mmCIF file of all heavy atoms in Angstrom:
data_model
loop_
_atom_site.group_PDB
_atom_site.id
_atom_site.type_symbol
_atom_site.label_atom_id
_atom_site.label_comp_id
_atom_site.label_asym_id
_atom_site.label_seq_id
_atom_site.Cartn_x
_atom_site.Cartn_y
_atom_site.Cartn_z
ATOM 1 N N MET R 1 0.800 -1.208 0.032
ATOM 2 C CA MET R 1 0.018 0.012 -0.018
ATOM 3 C C MET R 1 0.866 1.280 -0.002
ATOM 4 O O MET R 1 0.606 2.203 -0.684
ATOM 5 C CB MET R 1 -0.907 0.041 1.252
ATOM 6 C CG MET R 1 -2.125 -0.938 1.093
ATOM 7 S SD MET R 1 -3.163 -0.598 -0.342
ATOM 8 C CE MET R 1 -4.105 0.828 0.257
ATOM 9 N N GLY R 2 1.911 1.251 0.831
ATOM 10 C CA GLY R 2 2.825 2.408 0.951
ATOM 11 C C GLY R 2 3.409 2.794 -0.389
ATOM 12 O O GLY R 2 3.484 3.904 -0.769
ATOM 13 N N LYS R 3 3.812 1.770 -1.097
ATOM 14 C CA LYS R 3 4.459 2.010 -2.410
ATOM 15 C C LYS R 3 3.439 2.583 -3.461
ATOM 16 O O LYS R 3 3.791 3.417 -4.243
ATOM 17 C CB LYS R 3 5.019 0.689 -2.975
ATOM 18 C CG LYS R 3 6.500 0.513 -2.654
ATOM 19 C CD LYS R 3 7.077 -0.556 -3.419
ATOM 20 C CE LYS R 3 8.601 -0.572 -3.318
ATOM 21 N NZ LYS R 3 9.204 -1.609 -4.111
ATOM 22 N N HIS R 4 2.239 2.060 -3.379
ATOM 23 C CA HIS R 4 1.242 2.543 -4.359
ATOM 24 C C HIS R 4 0.921 4.004 -4.216
ATOM 25 O O HIS R 4 0.588 4.647 -5.151
ATOM 26 C CB HIS R 4 -0.049 1.690 -4.216
ATOM 27 C CG HIS R 4 -0.086 0.679 -5.307
ATOM 28 N ND1 HIS R 4 0.576 -0.476 -5.259
ATOM 29 C CD2 HIS R 4 -0.783 0.684 -6.495
ATOM 30 C CE1 HIS R 4 0.284 -1.145 -6.365
ATOM 31 N NE2 HIS R 4 -0.529 -0.488 -7.114
ATOM 32 N N ALA R 5 1.001 4.512 -2.976
ATOM 33 C CA ALA R 5 0.634 5.898 -2.752
ATOM 34 C C ALA R 5 1.541 6.856 -3.540
ATOM 35 O O ALA R 5 1.137 7.887 -4.001
ATOM 36 C CB ALA R 5 0.725 6.230 -1.272
ATOM 37 N N GLN R 6 2.775 6.421 -3.763
ATOM 38 C CA GLN R 6 3.745 7.267 -4.482
ATOM 39 C C GLN R 6 3.320 7.402 -5.941
ATOM 40 O O GLN R 6 3.598 8.432 -6.594
ATOM 41 C CB GLN R 6 5.150 6.652 -4.434
ATOM 42 C CG GLN R 6 5.716 6.806 -3.063
ATOM 43 C CD GLN R 6 7.174 6.263 -3.053
ATOM 44 O OE1 GLN R 6 7.504 5.452 -3.858
ATOM 45 N NE2 GLN R 6 7.940 6.785 -2.134
ATOM 46 N N VAL R 7 2.663 6.402 -6.491
ATOM 47 C CA VAL R 7 2.299 6.425 -7.891
ATOM 48 C C VAL R 7 1.341 7.598 -8.177
ATOM 49 O O VAL R 7 1.339 8.206 -9.258
ATOM 50 C CB VAL R 7 1.660 5.139 -8.326
ATOM 51 C CG1 VAL R 7 1.154 5.154 -9.736
ATOM 52 C CG2 VAL R 7 2.637 3.972 -8.135
ATOM 53 N N GLN R 8 0.556 7.915 -7.182
ATOM 54 C CA GLN R 8 -0.424 9.042 -7.327
ATOM 55 C C GLN R 8 0.246 10.344 -7.725
ATOM 56 O O GLN R 8 -0.341 11.140 -8.426
ATOM 57 C CB GLN R 8 -1.188 9.251 -6.005
ATOM 58 C CG GLN R 8 -2.092 8.090 -5.601
ATOM 59 C CD GLN R 8 -3.320 8.032 -6.457
ATOM 60 O OE1 GLN R 8 -3.797 9.052 -6.899
ATOM 61 N NE2 GLN R 8 -3.839 6.837 -6.714
ATOM 62 N N ILE R 9 1.466 10.528 -7.272
ATOM 63 C CA ILE R 9 2.167 11.795 -7.595
ATOM 64 C C ILE R 9 2.505 11.867 -9.116
ATOM 65 O O ILE R 9 2.374 12.919 -9.704
ATOM 66 C CB ILE R 9 3.500 11.867 -6.793
ATOM 67 C CG1 ILE R 9 3.221 11.817 -5.325
ATOM 68 C CG2 ILE R 9 4.273 13.126 -7.138
ATOM 69 C CD1 ILE R 9 4.419 11.493 -4.421
ATOM 70 N N TRP R 10 2.774 10.721 -9.682
ATOM 71 C CA TRP R 10 3.188 10.639 -11.080
ATOM 72 C C TRP R 10 1.984 10.309 -11.953
ATOM 73 O O TRP R 10 1.930 9.244 -12.451
ATOM 74 C CB TRP R 10 4.308 9.675 -11.286
ATOM 75 C CG TRP R 10 5.451 9.955 -10.371
ATOM 76 C CD1 TRP R 10 5.720 9.425 -9.182
ATOM 77 C CD2 TRP R 10 6.517 10.853 -10.649
ATOM 78 N NE1 TRP R 10 6.895 9.948 -8.666
ATOM 79 C CE2 TRP R 10 7.399 10.826 -9.563
ATOM 80 C CE3 TRP R 10 6.788 11.734 -11.749
ATOM 81 C CZ2 TRP R 10 8.540 11.665 -9.493
ATOM 82 C CZ3 TRP R 10 7.910 12.518 -11.649
ATOM 83 C CH2 TRP R 10 8.812 12.492 -10.568
ATOM 84 N N LYS R 11 1.100 11.219 -12.065
ATOM 85 C CA LYS R 11 -0.131 10.876 -12.828
ATOM 86 C C LYS R 11 0.146 10.732 -14.288
ATOM 87 O O LYS R 11 -0.667 10.106 -14.971
ATOM 88 C CB LYS R 11 -1.135 12.018 -12.584
ATOM 89 C CG LYS R 11 -1.672 11.988 -11.175
ATOM 90 C CD LYS R 11 -3.084 12.559 -11.061
ATOM 91 C CE LYS R 11 -3.666 12.179 -9.681
ATOM 92 N NZ LYS R 11 -4.929 12.795 -9.431
ATOM 93 N N LYS R 12 1.201 11.261 -14.770
ATOM 94 C CA LYS R 12 1.463 11.124 -16.224
ATOM 95 C C LYS R 12 2.277 9.863 -16.515
ATOM 96 O O LYS R 12 2.518 9.586 -17.659
ATOM 97 C CB LYS R 12 2.266 12.346 -16.742
ATOM 98 C CG LYS R 12 1.370 13.540 -16.883
ATOM 99 C CD LYS R 12 2.133 14.689 -17.521
ATOM 100 C CE LYS R 12 1.166 15.857 -17.782
ATOM 101 N NZ LYS R 12 1.904 17.026 -18.286
ATOM 102 N N TYR R 13 2.614 9.156 -15.471
ATOM 103 C CA TYR R 13 3.329 7.908 -15.649
ATOM 104 C C TYR R 13 2.518 6.703 -15.218
ATOM 105 O O TYR R 13 1.645 6.793 -14.401
ATOM 106 C CB TYR R 13 4.634 7.985 -14.859
ATOM 107 C CG TYR R 13 5.602 9.008 -15.371
ATOM 108 C CD1 TYR R 13 5.489 10.311 -15.011
ATOM 109 C CD2 TYR R 13 6.578 8.679 -16.279
ATOM 110 C CE1 TYR R 13 6.281 11.287 -15.473
ATOM 111 C CE2 TYR R 13 7.457 9.672 -16.776
ATOM 112 C CZ TYR R 13 7.318 10.959 -16.360
ATOM 113 O OH TYR R 13 8.144 11.896 -16.828
ATOM 114 N N GLU R 14 2.896 5.617 -15.770
ATOM 115 C CA GLU R 14 2.243 4.358 -15.444
ATOM 116 C C GLU R 14 3.325 3.350 -15.083
ATOM 117 O O GLU R 14 4.403 3.346 -15.711
ATOM 118 C CB GLU R 14 1.540 3.900 -16.678
ATOM 119 C CG GLU R 14 0.571 2.784 -16.534
ATOM 120 C CD GLU R 14 -0.151 2.576 -17.854
ATOM 121 O OE1 GLU R 14 -0.787 3.482 -18.361
ATOM 122 O OE2 GLU R 14 -0.030 1.438 -18.364
ATOM 123 N N VAL R 15 3.113 2.526 -14.132
ATOM 124 C CA VAL R 15 4.143 1.600 -13.787
ATOM 125 C C VAL R 15 3.790 0.231 -14.319
ATOM 126 O O VAL R 15 2.719 -0.282 -14.109
ATOM 127 C CB VAL R 15 4.261 1.459 -12.210
ATOM 128 C CG1 VAL R 15 5.340 0.411 -11.846
ATOM 129 C CG2 VAL R 15 4.635 2.808 -11.641
ATOM 130 N N LYS R 16 4.667 -0.292 -15.169
ATOM 131 C CA LYS R 16 4.476 -1.582 -15.759
ATOM 132 C C LYS R 16 5.670 -2.468 -15.461
ATOM 133 O O LYS R 16 6.807 -2.115 -15.832
ATOM 134 C CB LYS R 16 4.336 -1.457 -17.272
ATOM 135 C CG LYS R 16 2.874 -1.369 -17.688
ATOM 136 C CD LYS R 16 2.748 -1.295 -19.212
ATOM 137 C CE LYS R 16 1.351 -0.919 -19.561
ATOM 138 N NZ LYS R 16 1.250 -0.584 -20.981
ATOM 139 N N ASP R 17 5.458 -3.630 -14.888
ATOM 140 C CA ASP R 17 6.523 -4.544 -14.531
ATOM 141 C C ASP R 17 7.622 -3.852 -13.746
ATOM 142 O O ASP R 17 8.802 -4.048 -14.048
ATOM 143 C CB ASP R 17 7.092 -5.188 -15.782
ATOM 144 C CG ASP R 17 5.990 -5.977 -16.527
ATOM 145 O OD1 ASP R 17 5.134 -6.534 -15.879
ATOM 146 O OD2 ASP R 17 6.045 -5.990 -17.760
ATOM 147 N N GLY R 18 7.295 -2.919 -12.861
ATOM 148 C CA GLY R 18 8.245 -2.270 -12.070
ATOM 149 C C GLY R 18 8.977 -1.117 -12.740
ATOM 150 O O GLY R 18 9.897 -0.517 -12.187
ATOM 151 N N GLN R 19 8.625 -0.839 -13.962
ATOM 152 C CA GLN R 19 9.280 0.257 -14.729
ATOM 153 C C GLN R 19 8.288 1.402 -14.979
ATOM 154 O O GLN R 19 7.130 1.166 -15.228
ATOM 155 C CB GLN R 19 9.774 -0.254 -16.062
ATOM 156 C CG GLN R 19 11.112 -0.978 -15.989
ATOM 157 C CD GLN R 19 11.681 -1.158 -17.390
ATOM 158 O OE1 GLN R 19 11.005 -1.589 -18.280
ATOM 159 N NE2 GLN R 19 12.928 -0.889 -17.516
ATOM 160 N N LEU R 20 8.790 2.558 -14.916
ATOM 161 C CA LEU R 20 7.977 3.730 -15.226
ATOM 162 C C LEU R 20 7.855 3.814 -16.751
ATOM 163 O O LEU R 20 8.797 3.842 -17.509
ATOM 164 C CB LEU R 20 8.622 5.008 -14.704
ATOM 165 C CG LEU R 20 8.315 5.357 -13.262
ATOM 166 C CD1 LEU R 20 9.075 6.613 -12.882
ATOM 167 C CD2 LEU R 20 6.828 5.556 -13.020
ATOM 168 N N VAL R 21 6.565 3.897 -17.164
ATOM 169 C CA VAL R 21 6.334 3.994 -18.622
ATOM 170 C C VAL R 21 5.601 5.326 -18.839
ATOM 171 O O VAL R 21 4.719 5.698 -18.095
ATOM 172 C CB VAL R 21 5.394 2.854 -19.068
ATOM 173 C CG1 VAL R 21 5.015 2.980 -20.533
ATOM 174 C CG2 VAL R 21 6.092 1.487 -18.823
ATOM 175 N N ARG R 22 6.030 6.038 -19.849
ATOM 176 C CA ARG R 22 5.356 7.313 -20.144
ATOM 177 C C ARG R 22 3.994 7.028 -20.650
ATOM 178 O O ARG R 22 3.803 6.238 -21.552
ATOM 179 C CB ARG R 22 6.212 8.056 -21.187
ATOM 180 C CG ARG R 22 7.401 8.739 -20.522
ATOM 181 C CD ARG R 22 8.033 9.754 -21.475
ATOM 182 N NE ARG R 22 8.348 9.126 -22.726
ATOM 183 C CZ ARG R 22 8.913 9.790 -23.739
ATOM 184 N NH1 ARG R 22 9.134 11.067 -23.615
ATOM 185 N NH2 ARG R 22 9.189 9.223 -24.842
ATOM 186 N N ASN R 23 3.081 7.680 -20.024
ATOM 187 C CA ASN R 23 1.669 7.471 -20.417
ATOM 188 C C ASN R 23 1.185 8.511 -21.448
ATOM 189 O O ASN R 23 0.031 8.703 -21.585
ATOM 190 C CB ASN R 23 0.815 7.543 -19.132
ATOM 191 C CG ASN R 23 -0.507 6.804 -19.341
ATOM 192 O OD1 ASN R 23 -0.637 6.020 -20.230
ATOM 193 N ND2 ASN R 23 -1.441 7.065 -18.488
ATOM 194 N N PHE R 24 2.106 9.083 -22.123
ATOM 195 C CA PHE R 24 1.744 10.063 -23.119
ATOM 196 C C PHE R 24 2.713 9.907 -24.290
ATOM 197 O O PHE R 24 3.779 9.372 -24.189
ATOM 198 C CB PHE R 24 1.781 11.486 -22.592
ATOM 199 C CG PHE R 24 3.083 11.843 -21.952
ATOM 200 C CD1 PHE R 24 4.174 12.264 -22.709
ATOM 201 C CD2 PHE R 24 3.262 11.762 -20.581
ATOM 202 C CE1 PHE R 24 5.362 12.595 -22.123
ATOM 203 C CE2 PHE R 24 4.435 12.095 -19.964
ATOM 204 C CZ PHE R 24 5.504 12.506 -20.745
ATOM 205 N N LYS R 25 2.312 10.426 -25.452
ATOM 206 C CA LYS R 25 3.098 10.310 -26.662
ATOM 207 C C LYS R 25 3.646 11.659 -27.038
ATOM 208 O O LYS R 25 3.023 12.674 -26.929
ATOM 209 C CB LYS R 25 2.225 9.741 -27.799
ATOM 210 C CG LYS R 25 1.881 8.327 -27.572
ATOM 211 C CD LYS R 25 1.583 7.615 -28.880
ATOM 212 C CE LYS R 25 0.399 8.214 -29.603
ATOM 213 N NZ LYS R 25 0.080 7.417 -30.832
ATOM 214 N N LEU R 26 4.886 11.598 -27.522
ATOM 215 C CA LEU R 26 5.517 12.813 -28.053
ATOM 216 C C LEU R 26 4.965 13.012 -29.472
ATOM 217 O O LEU R 26 4.749 12.073 -30.233
ATOM 218 C CB LEU R 26 6.976 12.609 -28.078
ATOM 219 C CG LEU R 26 7.884 13.866 -27.981
ATOM 220 C CD1 LEU R 26 7.566 14.633 -26.705
ATOM 221 C CD2 LEU R 26 9.358 13.450 -28.044
ATOM 222 N N CYS R 27 4.771 14.259 -29.833
ATOM 223 C CA CYS R 27 4.242 14.561 -31.149
ATOM 224 C C CYS R 27 5.152 14.074 -32.245
ATOM 225 O O CYS R 27 6.382 14.395 -32.188
ATOM 226 C CB CYS R 27 4.022 16.078 -31.267
ATOM 227 S SG CYS R 27 3.539 16.584 -32.889
ATOM 228 N N PRO R 28 4.654 13.255 -33.163
ATOM 229 C CA PRO R 28 5.566 12.771 -34.220
ATOM 230 C C PRO R 28 5.913 13.825 -35.322
ATOM 231 O O PRO R 28 6.774 13.594 -36.098
ATOM 232 C CB PRO R 28 4.715 11.620 -34.852
ATOM 233 C CG PRO R 28 3.297 11.983 -34.547
ATOM 234 C CD PRO R 28 3.296 12.787 -33.265
ATOM 235 N N LYS R 29 5.178 14.891 -35.251
ATOM 236 C CA LYS R 29 5.392 15.926 -36.276
ATOM 237 C C LYS R 29 6.478 16.942 -35.852
ATOM 238 O O LYS R 29 7.486 17.102 -36.544
ATOM 239 C CB LYS R 29 4.095 16.642 -36.541
ATOM 240 C CG LYS R 29 4.165 17.569 -37.760
ATOM 241 C CD LYS R 29 2.810 18.169 -38.021
ATOM 242 C CE LYS R 29 2.865 19.195 -39.149
ATOM 243 N NZ LYS R 29 1.634 19.927 -39.338
ATOM 244 N N CYS R 30 6.276 17.562 -34.691
ATOM 245 C CA CYS R 30 7.243 18.602 -34.281
ATOM 246 C C CYS R 30 8.233 17.997 -33.290
ATOM 247 O O CYS R 30 9.319 18.610 -33.025
ATOM 248 C CB CYS R 30 6.561 19.775 -33.664
ATOM 249 S SG CYS R 30 5.730 19.489 -32.093
ATOM 250 N N LYS R 31 8.022 16.796 -32.707
ATOM 251 C CA LYS R 31 8.861 16.111 -31.771
ATOM 252 C C LYS R 31 9.110 16.893 -30.503
ATOM 253 O O LYS R 31 10.066 16.600 -29.735
ATOM 254 C CB LYS R 31 10.234 15.779 -32.392
ATOM 255 C CG LYS R 31 10.107 15.176 -33.775
ATOM 256 C CD LYS R 31 10.107 13.677 -33.752
ATOM 257 C CE LYS R 31 10.330 13.124 -35.120
ATOM 258 N NZ LYS R 31 9.787 11.838 -35.308
ATOM 259 N N LYS R 32 8.377 17.906 -30.258
ATOM 260 C CA LYS R 32 8.543 18.722 -29.056
ATOM 261 C C LYS R 32 7.319 18.776 -28.181
ATOM 262 O O LYS R 32 7.363 18.845 -26.971
ATOM 263 C CB LYS R 32 8.880 20.178 -29.507
ATOM 264 C CG LYS R 32 10.329 20.212 -29.953
ATOM 265 C CD LYS R 32 10.641 21.630 -30.449
ATOM 266 C CE LYS R 32 12.032 21.714 -31.015
ATOM 267 N NZ LYS R 32 12.275 22.894 -31.829
ATOM 268 N N GLY R 33 6.148 18.775 -28.847
ATOM 269 C CA GLY R 33 4.902 18.805 -28.100
ATOM 270 C C GLY R 33 4.500 17.463 -27.569
ATOM 271 O O GLY R 33 4.916 16.430 -28.103
ATOM 272 N N ILE R 34 3.724 17.472 -26.552
ATOM 273 C CA ILE R 34 3.166 16.221 -26.007
ATOM 274 C C ILE R 34 1.717 16.149 -26.496
ATOM 275 O O ILE R 34 1.027 17.109 -26.416
ATOM 276 C CB ILE R 34 3.240 16.221 -24.467
ATOM 277 C CG1 ILE R 34 4.688 16.066 -24.086
ATOM 278 C CG2 ILE R 34 2.414 15.104 -23.896
ATOM 279 C CD1 ILE R 34 4.989 16.363 -22.618
ATOM 280 N N LEU R 35 1.372 14.987 -26.950
ATOM 281 C CA LEU R 35 0.002 14.833 -27.506
ATOM 282 C C LEU R 35 -0.991 14.780 -26.267
ATOM 283 O O LEU R 35 -0.864 13.962 -25.368
ATOM 284 C CB LEU R 35 -0.136 13.527 -28.270
ATOM 285 C CG LEU R 35 0.751 13.507 -29.526
ATOM 286 C CD1 LEU R 35 0.525 12.143 -30.254
ATOM 287 C CD2 LEU R 35 0.406 14.640 -30.493
ATOM 288 N N ALA R 36 -1.909 15.702 -26.289
ATOM 289 C CA ALA R 36 -2.956 15.774 -25.238
ATOM 290 C C ALA R 36 -4.071 14.910 -25.646
ATOM 291 O O ALA R 36 -4.441 14.797 -26.835
ATOM 292 C CB ALA R 36 -3.394 17.217 -25.092
ATOM 293 N N GLN R 37 -4.658 14.241 -24.687
ATOM 294 C CA GLN R 37 -5.750 13.315 -24.969
ATOM 295 C C GLN R 37 -7.084 13.993 -24.915
ATOM 296 O O GLN R 37 -7.336 14.719 -23.961
ATOM 297 C CB GLN R 37 -5.709 12.125 -24.009
ATOM 298 C CG GLN R 37 -4.423 11.348 -24.199
ATOM 299 C CD GLN R 37 -4.512 9.994 -23.426
ATOM 300 O OE1 GLN R 37 -5.157 9.860 -22.455
ATOM 301 N NE2 GLN R 37 -3.796 9.020 -23.982
ATOM 302 N N ALA R 38 -7.884 13.792 -25.903
ATOM 303 C CA ALA R 38 -9.234 14.249 -25.978
ATOM 304 C C ALA R 38 -10.084 13.017 -26.392
ATOM 305 O O ALA R 38 -9.530 12.061 -26.936
ATOM 306 C CB ALA R 38 -9.368 15.352 -26.995
ATOM 307 N N PRO R 39 -11.379 13.061 -26.120
ATOM 308 C CA PRO R 39 -12.178 11.904 -26.472
ATOM 309 C C PRO R 39 -12.058 11.574 -27.962
ATOM 310 O O PRO R 39 -12.401 12.442 -28.835
ATOM 311 C CB PRO R 39 -13.651 12.350 -26.070
ATOM 312 C CG PRO R 39 -13.401 13.381 -25.037
ATOM 313 C CD PRO R 39 -12.143 14.075 -25.423
ATOM 314 N N GLY R 40 -11.577 10.372 -28.282
ATOM 315 C CA GLY R 40 -11.516 9.942 -29.660
ATOM 316 C C GLY R 40 -10.291 10.381 -30.458
ATOM 317 O O GLY R 40 -10.049 9.985 -31.548
ATOM 318 N N ARG R 41 -9.501 11.257 -29.813
ATOM 319 C CA ARG R 41 -8.294 11.758 -30.569
ATOM 320 C C ARG R 41 -7.268 12.335 -29.591
ATOM 321 O O ARG R 41 -7.563 12.543 -28.439
ATOM 322 C CB ARG R 41 -8.694 12.761 -31.604
ATOM 323 C CG ARG R 41 -9.144 14.067 -31.034
ATOM 324 C CD ARG R 41 -9.933 14.878 -32.024
ATOM 325 N NE ARG R 41 -10.452 16.083 -31.366
ATOM 326 C CZ ARG R 41 -9.776 17.240 -31.293
ATOM 327 N NH1 ARG R 41 -8.628 17.428 -31.937
ATOM 328 N NH2 ARG R 41 -10.285 18.262 -30.649
ATOM 329 N N VAL R 42 -6.108 12.560 -30.160
ATOM 330 C CA VAL R 42 -5.074 13.221 -29.404
ATOM 331 C C VAL R 42 -4.599 14.405 -30.272
ATOM 332 O O VAL R 42 -4.713 14.362 -31.485
ATOM 333 C CB VAL R 42 -3.877 12.290 -29.101
ATOM 334 C CG1 VAL R 42 -4.279 11.199 -28.131
ATOM 335 C CG2 VAL R 42 -3.268 11.720 -30.358
ATOM 336 N N PHE R 43 -4.107 15.430 -29.659
ATOM 337 C CA PHE R 43 -3.629 16.494 -30.422
ATOM 338 C C PHE R 43 -2.402 17.178 -29.767
ATOM 339 O O PHE R 43 -2.186 17.065 -28.575
ATOM 340 C CB PHE R 43 -4.730 17.600 -30.649
ATOM 341 C CG PHE R 43 -5.222 18.238 -29.361
ATOM 342 C CD1 PHE R 43 -4.658 19.407 -28.898
ATOM 343 C CD2 PHE R 43 -6.247 17.632 -28.642
ATOM 344 C CE1 PHE R 43 -5.104 19.961 -27.736
ATOM 345 C CE2 PHE R 43 -6.712 18.223 -27.469
ATOM 346 C CZ PHE R 43 -6.134 19.385 -27.013
ATOM 347 N N CYS R 44 -1.578 17.804 -30.621
ATOM 348 C CA CYS R 44 -0.396 18.451 -30.153
ATOM 349 C C CYS R 44 -0.715 19.930 -29.893
ATOM 350 O O CYS R 44 -1.244 20.612 -30.754
ATOM 351 C CB CYS R 44 0.716 18.298 -31.178
ATOM 352 S SG CYS R 44 2.199 19.241 -30.758
ATOM 353 N N GLY R 45 -0.383 20.393 -28.710
ATOM 354 C CA GLY R 45 -0.631 21.792 -28.333
ATOM 355 C C GLY R 45 0.353 22.725 -28.967
ATOM 356 O O GLY R 45 0.146 23.947 -29.052
ATOM 357 N N LYS R 46 1.469 22.225 -29.506
ATOM 358 C CA LYS R 46 2.515 23.061 -30.074
ATOM 359 C C LYS R 46 2.252 23.359 -31.551
ATOM 360 O O LYS R 46 2.321 24.472 -31.976
ATOM 361 C CB LYS R 46 3.867 22.428 -29.874
ATOM 362 C CG LYS R 46 4.369 22.579 -28.473
ATOM 363 C CD LYS R 46 5.874 22.639 -28.402
ATOM 364 C CE LYS R 46 6.426 22.625 -27.018
ATOM 365 N NZ LYS R 46 6.704 23.961 -26.490
ATOM 366 N N CYS R 47 2.061 22.293 -32.336
ATOM 367 C CA CYS R 47 1.927 22.511 -33.769
ATOM 368 C C CYS R 47 0.590 22.254 -34.279
ATOM 369 O O CYS R 47 0.295 22.514 -35.453
ATOM 370 C CB CYS R 47 2.970 21.608 -34.516
ATOM 371 S SG CYS R 47 2.588 19.870 -34.426
ATOM 372 N N GLY R 48 -0.335 21.749 -33.453
ATOM 373 C CA GLY R 48 -1.697 21.546 -33.890
ATOM 374 C C GLY R 48 -1.925 20.181 -34.549
ATOM 375 O O GLY R 48 -3.025 19.945 -35.046
ATOM 376 N N TYR R 49 -0.911 19.363 -34.612
ATOM 377 C CA TYR R 49 -1.104 18.007 -35.141
ATOM 378 C C TYR R 49 -2.160 17.250 -34.368
ATOM 379 O O TYR R 49 -2.239 17.367 -33.135
ATOM 380 C CB TYR R 49 0.268 17.276 -35.009
ATOM 381 C CG TYR R 49 0.216 15.778 -35.360
ATOM 382 C CD1 TYR R 49 0.302 15.351 -36.679
ATOM 383 C CD2 TYR R 49 0.006 14.879 -34.388
ATOM 384 C CE1 TYR R 49 0.238 13.994 -36.942
ATOM 385 C CE2 TYR R 49 -0.006 13.498 -34.624
ATOM 386 C CZ TYR R 49 0.055 13.097 -35.913
ATOM 387 O OH TYR R 49 0.017 11.737 -36.226
ATOM 388 N N SER R 50 -2.992 16.502 -35.021
ATOM 389 C CA SER R 50 -3.962 15.687 -34.344
ATOM 390 C C SER R 50 -4.064 14.269 -34.947
ATOM 391 O O SER R 50 -3.677 14.110 -36.127
ATOM 392 C CB SER R 50 -5.328 16.375 -34.336
ATOM 393 O OG SER R 50 -5.897 16.392 -35.623
ATOM 394 N N GLU R 51 -4.490 13.396 -34.169
ATOM 395 C CA GLU R 51 -4.493 12.019 -34.555
ATOM 396 C C GLU R 51 -5.732 11.349 -34.008
ATOM 397 O O GLU R 51 -6.100 11.595 -32.831
ATOM 398 C CB GLU R 51 -3.260 11.344 -33.952
ATOM 399 C CG GLU R 51 -2.946 9.975 -34.413
ATOM 400 C CD GLU R 51 -1.669 9.436 -33.755
ATOM 401 O OE1 GLU R 51 -0.558 10.047 -34.018
ATOM 402 O OE2 GLU R 51 -1.712 8.517 -32.978
ATOM 403 N N ILE R 52 -6.375 10.553 -34.793
ATOM 404 C CA ILE R 52 -7.579 9.838 -34.339
ATOM 405 C C ILE R 52 -7.181 8.583 -33.564
ATOM 406 O O ILE R 52 -6.259 7.886 -33.958
ATOM 407 C CB ILE R 52 -8.455 9.398 -35.556
ATOM 408 C CG1 ILE R 52 -8.840 10.591 -36.465
ATOM 409 C CG2 ILE R 52 -9.698 8.655 -35.078
ATOM 410 C CD1 ILE R 52 -9.740 11.591 -35.804
ATOM 411 N N VAL R 53 -7.768 8.454 -32.431
ATOM 412 C CA VAL R 53 -7.483 7.300 -31.620
ATOM 413 C C VAL R 53 -8.650 6.372 -31.614
ATOM 414 O O VAL R 53 -9.763 6.757 -31.365
ATOM 415 C CB VAL R 53 -7.173 7.698 -30.144
ATOM 416 C CG1 VAL R 53 -6.903 6.489 -29.294
ATOM 417 C CG2 VAL R 53 -6.024 8.671 -30.095
ATOM 418 N N LYS R 54 -8.391 5.070 -31.921
ATOM 419 C CA LYS R 54 -9.471 4.114 -31.978
ATOM 420 C C LYS R 54 -9.703 3.493 -30.609
ATOM 421 O O LYS R 54 -8.787 3.276 -29.874
ATOM 422 C CB LYS R 54 -9.125 3.001 -32.985
ATOM 423 C CG LYS R 54 -9.271 3.516 -34.392
ATOM 424 C CD LYS R 54 -8.604 2.531 -35.392
ATOM 425 C CE LYS R 54 -8.310 3.254 -36.695
ATOM 426 N NZ LYS R 54 -7.406 2.525 -37.509
HETATM 427 ZN ZN1 ZN P 1 3.520 18.860 -32.581
#
């Protein structure tokens, strides 16, 4: 239980098999923005790139 409480701090990360995994994608277009999640799609706040998520 004590260990799990720490995970709450890292809301953008996910722990898989004891490793921190980034729970977000870097924009493939500008490589600088982080794709923000919206219902049904993700979009880059920097360049405006968007991608449909199934
Ligand atoms: Zn971008």
